[in-house]
Amino acid sequence: MPIGFRLFPRQGSIAPELVAQFRDIPVANVSDSMSRMSAAGPQIRKMHRSGVLIGPALTVKSRPGDNLMLHKALDMAAPGDVIVMDAGGDLTNALFGELMLAHALNRKIAGFVLNGAIRDADAIYETNLPVYAAGVTHRGPYKDGPGEINVPIAICGMVVKPGDLILGDSDGVVAIPANDAEDILVKARAKQRSEAQQMEAIKAQTNDRTWVDASLHRLGCDFHGQN
């Protein structure tokens, strides 16, 4: 089996019940609960109109500008899967467009994260299937391979393993390791509750801002005669 041109079955995945519990948690709160060390990068932006991307990852690795393995992933994916593809971030050729979008809808795929370009951007926006990508171009892809499916990949330093939970909103995309998801859920919910309390204090104008000056003093800031 040649390295770089092979398919694997996905071994395990995050439980559907656990997936559902992340649906109402902002990506920012999850990111903060993971020490702010995991993100797909600011260039991976949503191409759909609105809504949350959530589901277990089916991973794809391909050479830039080639979507043969993305087509195969469409046929392998189960309903509710998120197809996550690293194609090197190259924007010369589109990896995904309107015809593949229609096939994805038939397959009940939850969405896509593509480290590369899309085309038929209006159709993706209007159909509103969650799609995140690095850019848009009208130039079509090649279909020659090589590539791999269900292997660990990385997008801008964010490692994604098959079966990890993918969560996306207007702030971007985060991958939650399946083995750590329960712990991250607890921390993210605590973060969400804390921020809700802070927002209520801000609205009531009772929020404590003394931490700002305390931090400046601790870090050695010179106030030049200011209190």
Side-chain angles (χ1 to χ4, degrees), residues 6-58:
R6 53 191 180 174
L7 311 175
F8 294 95
R10 186 170 60 197
Q11 301 293 331
S13 184
I14 188 167
E17 300 80 11
L18 192 52
V19 171
Q21 293 183 70
F22 277 92
R23 182 170 291 277
D24 65 342
I25 301 179
V27 166
N29 287 351
V30 173
S31 179
D32 285 355
S33 301
M34 296 172 66
S35 300
R36 301 168 181 168
M37 292 289 288
S38 181
Q43 65 269 44
I44 305 296
R45 305 306 306 165
K46 73 181 181 73
M47 300 294 170
H48 56 290
R49 186 170 62 255
S50 62
V52 173
L53 169 67
I54 188 168
L58 189 158

Side-chain angles (χ1 to χ4, degrees), residues 70 73-75 77-81 83 96-112 127 129-131:
L70 184 57
L74 277 170
D75 295 338
D81 279 351
I83 296 178
F96 181 83
E98 187 173 14
L99 296 177
M100 296 179 77
L101 173 67
H103 186 45
L105 290 169
N106 287 341
R107 298 281 297 168
K108 296 181 171 55
I109 291 168
F112 295 82
T127 304
L129 180 72
V131 175

